[in-house]
Amino acid sequence: MAILQEAKDSITGGCLCGAVRYTLDFPKGSSWPPQSFTCQCTQCRKQTGALIPHLFAIEPSQLRWANPSGGTGAAEPFKEFSSSKGVYRGFCSACGAAFTWRSEEISDEMELFVGTIDEKWLIGDRTEKVSSESLTEPGVFEKVLSADEGALGREICTPLAGHMFVRNAIKGATDARMAGKRFVEISQAKMEIPD
């Protein structure tokens, strides 16, 4: 098992076009690594275009939006769509990147899509060490994968909180047995699928 790195004070992220940026803070006493999970619900799939979106469960106060206009709160291109009664999905109105899920009923928690975290936190600086063309040379790819200084990907992306909505698994595509608890729907429903 990998040794966990020291908890970070914060990590950063943003959308594809760069119009929406954020800092995710980890104040003393907050969960490290962040509680991450996967979701196969239809709405997460539709919002992201991914069969198995990956999310962090965070407190809303941990997320600081960068507003290019100098104000506070979310950047202007950040919008929310009411996907169902009292439930909101955040996205960049310029490029469409999916950011968040939140519910009025759960005011002390929101979800942040892990794919919006800056690459330097996920894979480190390895992309700067070798050209794409040289990856086809024998042994180079393995060297690149081992040179992930600063990367937290494995640590922060392991779905320790489990896998939600596995009832929507697609046979032969998304039904592979992954590490972690599996839930028919959401973990709060206590409908865990036994091993």
Side-chain angles (χ1 to χ4, degrees), residues 133-148:
E133 295 80 28
S134 66
L135 286 175
T136 58
E137 297 170 14
V140 171
F141 186 67
E142 289 75 16
K143 287 180 186 174
V144 170
L145 287 179
S146 66
D148 57 358

Side-chain angles (χ1 to χ4, degrees), residues 7-75:
K8 300 295 178 194
D9 292 331
S10 63
I11 57 178
T12 55
C15 63
L16 183 62
C17 73
V20 179
R21 299 283 306 151
Y22 65 82
T23 300
L24 181 57
D25 293 317
F26 297 98
K28 192 172 188 161
S30 63
S31 176
W32 185 267
Q35 291 297 301
S36 64
F37 63 94
T38 65
C39 185
Q40 293 192 57
C41 80
T42 301
Q43 289 190 7
C44 280
R45 285 178 173 170
K46 295 284 188 183
Q47 183 184 14
T48 64
L51 293 177
I52 307 178
H54 202 116
L55 304 99
F56 283 151
I58 61 170
E59 293 178 20
S61 62
Q62 289 182 260
L63 193 58
R64 285 186 290 129
W65 297 103
N67 188 335
S69 65
T72 58

Side-chain angles (χ1 to χ4, degrees), residues 86-87 92 111 128 191:
V87 175
C92 173
E111 275 71 46
E128 298 170 11
M191 296 171 60

Side-chain angles (χ1 to χ4, degrees), residues 54-195:
H54 202 116
L55 304 99
F56 283 151
I58 61 170
E59 293 178 20
S61 62
Q62 289 182 260
L63 193 58
R64 285 186 290 129
W65 297 103
N67 188 335
S69 65
T72 58
E76 289 184 26
F78 179 85
K79 303 289 184 204
E80 287 188 314
F81 166 72
S82 178
S83 58
S84 50
K85 187 177 180 184
V87 175
Y88 302 91
R89 292 176 174 275
F91 63 97
C92 173
S93 62
C95 68
F99 279 104
T100 59
W101 176 95
R102 69 177 182 88
S103 170
E104 290 176 351
E105 291 182 10
I106 311 170
S107 62
D108 63 342
E109 182 181 306
M110 68 186 302
E111 275 71 46
L112 176 71
F113 286 99
V114 175
T116 63
I117 292 172
D118 288 336
E119 216 169 65
K120 73 177 185 176
W121 301 109
L122 298 175
I123 65 170
D125 64 357
R126 72 168 97 142
T127 54
E128 298 170 11
K129 294 185 183 245
V130 66
S131 67
S132 295
E133 295 80 28
S134 66
L135 286 175
T136 58
E137 297 170 14
V140 171
F141 186 67
E142 289 75 16
K143 287 180 186 174
V144 170
L145 287 179
S146 66
D148 57 358
E149 291 100 14
L152 300 171
R154 185 173 191 168
E155 186 173 336
I156 64 176
C157 295
T158 300
L160 298 175
H163 308 281
M164 310 305 159
F165 283 88
V166 294
R167 68 181 170 107
N168 289 351
I170 301 167
K171 189 172 180 148
T174 68
D175 63 343
R177 180 67 173 109
M178 296 180 275
K181 295 179 179 181
R182 298 175 300 150
F183 298 93
V184 174
E185 290 184 357
I186 58 174
S187 59
Q188 290 87 348
K190 309 291 186 219
M191 296 171 60
E192 186 175 344
I193 298 171
D195 288 331

